[in-house]
Amino acid sequence: MSKKVTPYKDSSLGKKQQVTQMFDTISGNYDGLNRVISFGIDIKWRKKVVKMVHATQPQSILDIATGTGDLAINLASETHALRIVGLDISAGMLEIGKQKVRDKNLNNRIEMVLGDSEQLPFDDNSFDAITVAFGVRNFEDLEKGLAEIYRVLKKDGTFVVLETSVPTKTPFKQGYNLYTKHLLPLIGKLFSKDQSAYAYLSESASVFPYGKAFNDILTKVGFSRAADYPQTLGVATIYQSYK
């Protein structure tokens, strides 16, 4: 099991509470800062996730750790799903997401829900597809969260994850380490009032299981046909599996 990384080293709160606090704090500038940090490439990655989900023709989709709703909005625009639920543990992020949904007149397609990914407020077999973009590494108990996702996914439904990973080839690995350990926290410090947040985001990415290691966890939980698709020299990976 990977090392547990938390946003605030001197806090007595559990990881879940710390992550909630962190995202509430940075919610106001999260979208803009993310575009800067990823050079806008995260938009391309999300489009690939949407394409994979759309290919399965889902009628209902759950987007976990929806944050400010970017992926949920993309799913509403590019799929024919009648029901899309965006769930997040941070009320601050959700409020921004709700406003974006209203601005795009998607209230009849997207429902934004405050909730815990490890205690999903849905019945068994509720959704045809479930997505998580840059959220699984924030789970306090990874296997518990994945088991909950498995529970609420319908039989033959698809589960698609977009998450950061670490390049393995030289010189990309060295460049990635330089960027995430030194430049990314500096950018976060300059533009965010929470100086710990972006140091946490890079550190948590560095210790999170990726590639085969994450596929093995998905298989252990019960998912089948787990496959990984590295993106942009391996700095992110898309995973797809089925129930």
Side-chain angles (χ1 to χ4, degrees):
M1 183 57 68
S2 61
K3 169 188 170 187
K4 182 173 284 190
V5 176
T6 57
Y8 309 110
K9 308 302 183 188
D10 58 350
S11 175
S12 61
L13 297 174
K15 179 175 179 178
K16 190 178 299 182
Q17 289 74 26
Q18 290 190 42
V19 167
T20 304
Q21 177 184 334
M22 180 192 75
F23 281 114
D24 282 345
T25 302
I26 67 175
S27 58
N29 55 13
Y30 179 80
D31 281 347
L33 197 49
N34 259 16
R35 295 296 96 82
V36 172
I37 287 172
S38 72
F39 305 104
I41 303 173
D42 61 305
I43 296 173
K44 179 181 177 181
W45 297 334
R46 284 187 177 87
K47 286 183 177 179
K48 290 186 178 181
V49 170
V50 171
K51 185 177 180 180
M52 292 168 76
V53 173
H54 178 59
T56 68
Q57 297 296 306
Q59 294 299 299
S60 56
I61 304 172
L62 171 62
D63 181 40
I64 293 175
T66 194
T68 62
D70 280 350
L71 184 53
I73 290 168
N74 290 346
L75 289 164
S77 300
E78 302 296 331
T79 74
H80 303 297
L82 300 176
R83 180 193 183 202
I84 297 173
V85 178
L87 178 139
D88 203 278
I89 201 169
S90 166
M93 297 283 275
L94 271 182
E95 283 307 309
I96 293 172
K98 287 177 181 177
Q99 186 58 55
K100 287 161 70 173
V101 169
R102 286 192 292 268
D103 290 345
K104 294 182 178 295
N105 296 315
L106 289 170
N107 289 72
N108 63 327
R109 298 278 311 285
I110 301 174
E111 177 188 4
M112 302 293 270
V113 174
L114 183 66
D116 182 351
S117 58
E118 294 169 37
Q119 294 178 309
L120 294 172
F122 309 109
D123 294 334
D124 295 357
N125 309 306
S126 292
F127 296 93
D128 297 310
I130 299 178
T131 57
V132 186
F134 305 115
V136 289
R137 77 177 187 274
N138 296 321
F139 288 5
E140 185 161 38
D141 186 325
L142 178 59
E143 289 189 20
K144 182 178 179 182
L146 294 176
E148 270 291 272
I149 290 168
Y150 187 85
R151 178 183 67 80
V152 303
L153 185 64
K154 291 181 181 178
K155 189 179 185 301
D156 299 321
T158 191
F159 176 40
V160 183
V161 174
L162 168 60
E163 189 53 89
T164 53
S165 52
V166 180
T168 57
K169 295 182 180 179
T170 301
F172 309 117
K173 181 177 182 178
Q174 288 77 6
Y176 174 87
N177 288 336
L178 174 66
Y179 178 69
T180 57
K181 290 181 180 178
H182 301 287
L183 296 180
L184 192 152
L186 178 61
I187 294 170
K189 184 176 181 179
L190 290 173
F191 292 96
S192 173
K193 58 185 177 180
D194 189 330
Q195 297 181 9
S196 301
Y198 286 88
Y200 159 76
L201 291 174
S202 62
E203 187 181 359
S204 61
S206 71
V207 301
F208 188 79
Y210 61 92
K212 182 180 183 300
F214 187 65
N215 285 338
D216 288 346
I217 296 171
L218 289 169
T219 301
K220 179 182 177 182
V221 169
F223 290 97
S224 63
R225 291 182 282 160
D228 59 284
Y229 306 94
Q231 304 294 310
T232 316
L233 305 175
V235 301
T237 301
I238 298 174
Y239 304 87
Q240 186 170 28
S241 57
Y242 298 84
K243 180 173 180 177

